[in-house]
Amino acid sequence: MQALNTSSFSLLPQNPKPFSLSTFSTFICRAFSKFPGDSNSDDSPDEITGRRCNYSGVKLEETVDGNTVKLRLDCWISSRIDGVSRARVQSSIRSGLVSVNGRVTDKVSHKVKGGDKVNCTIADLKPLRAEPEDIPLDIVYEDEHVLVVNKPAHMVVHPAPGNATGTLVSGILHHCSLPTCSFLGEEVLSDVEDASDDELNVSPYDSSVMCEPSVRPGIVHRLDKGTSGLLVVAKNEHSLVDLAEQFKKHTIKRVYVSITCGVPTSVSGRVDIPIGRDSNNRIRMAAIPGSPKSGKSRHAVSRYKVIKELSGGGSALVEWRLETGRTHQIRAHAKYLGIPLMGDEVYGGTKNMALSLLQPKTPPRFHGKLSQLVSRIERPCLHALTLGFRHPFTGENIQFTRLPPPDFAEILSELRAINTEKVL
């Protein structure tokens, strides 16, 4: 296998072109009311509608179980209403819609205990606005039909509760000189991260849930807030429908690279394990062995290959190729394999985990350096390296590759320098 280096990839030249704004502007600021199909082929219409329930007005009147130790109010309510986000519950509490033992509380961290009587009404979704923002974008390719962007880590793709500004959508609105757009906020996986890395649905939103235009400018797939790399944006309806169909048929080429805590038992493999919400931790997903359960888990397949062992086997550079696109798919499958992504605090790739695997594999003289290196990691070490698809209008197969950004490259370089071993 080859180590990751610049010569391993053919970088296509950038090709920014002038394009017509009128069609794109109309496209962004209207609802996706004509888009047929769904980019995820495993959802029935009933399942899609169920997941899009916005929970507005849902009531909870319940007594906390007597065996419950003191627990945060927002956490307890989230555990009692299946599917609602913690951020949404917190908004309801702050809006004065929650009472404990007959007294309204607006403190999300209020502790409840066994015997407490809780009354809660979930608040309405508040309109969010996508404001054009002058955000530097790394445009890899652009024509009048599609836009390929190299997203930096820490940037959220689209506005969501807790992440209303600084998004990729806002940058695209400014880049294309488009107006502000309003839309209703959606449920997200957590109040900390953008629930991403998955293909988006482009079939009509339920009118009872979404009554404002969607402002995702033709975004057919997403990347997690902490994930860097390539993402394609459609600039008209034809391109969106065509790209969505390619995602549905799994013909889009997506290659990711990651730095993992530990090394997988097999140097390559195919993970065919459904993914659903983790029943023990509502802010993450989990690989759930067995047949996909309606509404609980979804078919998910990832292929992986170890490119190079690092630090004597305490870590590895791993390539991933997706056959499906599910929320946090690589992160959940990596955890299932016992190799969480380095820096992924949500899925077990904590700093302590990384050091516990790295230090026993390296000479003591490197331990201080390793501690410093790991302490600087601020996001999951995951990068969307390659993106390939059939151009929606020309029919040409095009492919783009961008190497990982400096933070990823620095970690990789230092781990390689510390007693690395190449996989044969």
Side-chain angles (χ1 to χ4, degrees), residues 258-264 284 314-316 318 320 330-351 353-354 356-357 380-382:
S258 69
I259 300 174
T260 62
C261 294
V263 180
R284 71 186 181 196
S315 179
V318 179
W320 301 85
I330 291 175
R331 299 166 66 186
H333 276 168
K335 177 179 172 61
Y336 176 80
L337 291 173
I339 51 164
L341 307 186
M342 192 171 291
D344 195 346
E345 299 283 333
V346 175
Y347 286 85
T350 64
K351 293 177 173 60
M353 167 64 79
S356 71
L357 293 171
C381 292
L382 180 63

Side-chain angles (χ1 to χ4, degrees), residues 14-29:
Q14 295 186 13
N15 185 24
K17 287 184 179 180
F19 61 96
S20 170
L21 296 180
S22 58
T23 301
F24 193 31
S25 177
T26 301
F27 169 66
I28 288 183
C29 296

Side-chain angles (χ1 to χ4, degrees), residues 120 251 363 415:
C120 169
T251 59
L415 289 176

Side-chain angles (χ1 to χ4, degrees), residues 59 202 210:
K59 294 182 181 297
V202 295
M210 297 290 288

Side-chain angles (χ1 to χ4, degrees), residues 23-24 26-39 48 52 200-205 213-220 234-245 248:
T23 301
F24 193 31
T26 301
F27 169 66
I28 288 183
C29 296
R30 62 185 291 193
F32 290 165
S33 59
K34 295 183 179 180
F35 296 164
D38 183 280
S39 64
I48 294 170
R52 288 199 183 127
L200 294 179
N201 302 315
V202 295
S203 54
Y205 287 107
S214 170
V215 296
R216 289 174 180 152
I219 293 175
V220 192
K235 295 174 68 173
N236 52 53
E237 293 184 14
H238 173 87
S239 296
L240 183 68
V241 173
D242 187 274
L243 287 169
E245 186 66 16
K248 181 178 179 179

Side-chain angles (χ1 to χ4, degrees), residues 91 321 361 367:
S91 176
R321 294 175 184 256
K361 300 285 187 178
H367 289 183

Side-chain angles (χ1 to χ4, degrees), residues 43-198:
D43 291 329
S44 69
D46 290 340
E47 290 171 340
I48 294 170
T49 301
R51 281 202 308 276
R52 288 199 183 127
C53 172
N54 71 8
Y55 299 96
S56 295
V58 170
K59 294 182 181 297
L60 173 70
E61 297 179 2
E62 193 170 323
T63 299
V64 179
D65 184 86
N67 296 323
T68 302
V69 296
K70 287 187 176 182
L71 188 67
R72 280 176 58 119
L73 178 60
D74 58 344
C75 293
W76 183 82
I77 294 174
S78 297
S79 71
R80 306 308 299 167
I81 303 177
D82 186 35
V84 71
S85 73
R86 189 167 153 196
R88 187 71 176 285
V89 171
Q90 291 174 344
S91 176
S92 303
I93 296 171
R94 294 189 180 107
S95 298
L97 298 176
V98 177
S99 65
V100 180
N101 298 325
R103 299 184 63 178
V104 174
T105 178
D106 60 2
K107 187 177 180 181
V108 300
S109 61
H110 176 87
K111 296 296 177 62
V112 294
K113 60 184 182 303
D116 284 346
K117 295 181 179 180
V118 178
N119 286 268
C120 169
T121 301
I122 299 299
D124 292 338
L125 285 171
K126 296 181 179 179
L128 297 175
R129 292 169 66 85
E131 301 277 359
E133 296 180 56
D134 187 5
I135 302 171
L137 298 177
D138 183 1
I139 306 296
V140 176
Y141 175 86
E142 182 174 9
D143 60 26
E144 61 182 312
H145 307 294
V146 296
L147 178 73
V148 178
V149 181
N150 186 21
K151 186 188 86 67
H154 309 298
M155 175 184 276
V156 175
V157 172
H158 58 78
N163 290 295
T165 61
T167 68
L168 180 63
V169 163
S170 295
I172 292 174
L173 290 175
H174 179 272
H175 175 73
C176 299
S177 302
L178 298 174
T180 297
C181 293
S182 298
F183 65 110
L184 290 181
E186 293 181 89
E187 291 300 309
V188 291
L189 183 63
S190 77
D191 53 340
V192 179
E193 297 200 32
D194 178 33
S196 320
D197 240 0
D198 60 341

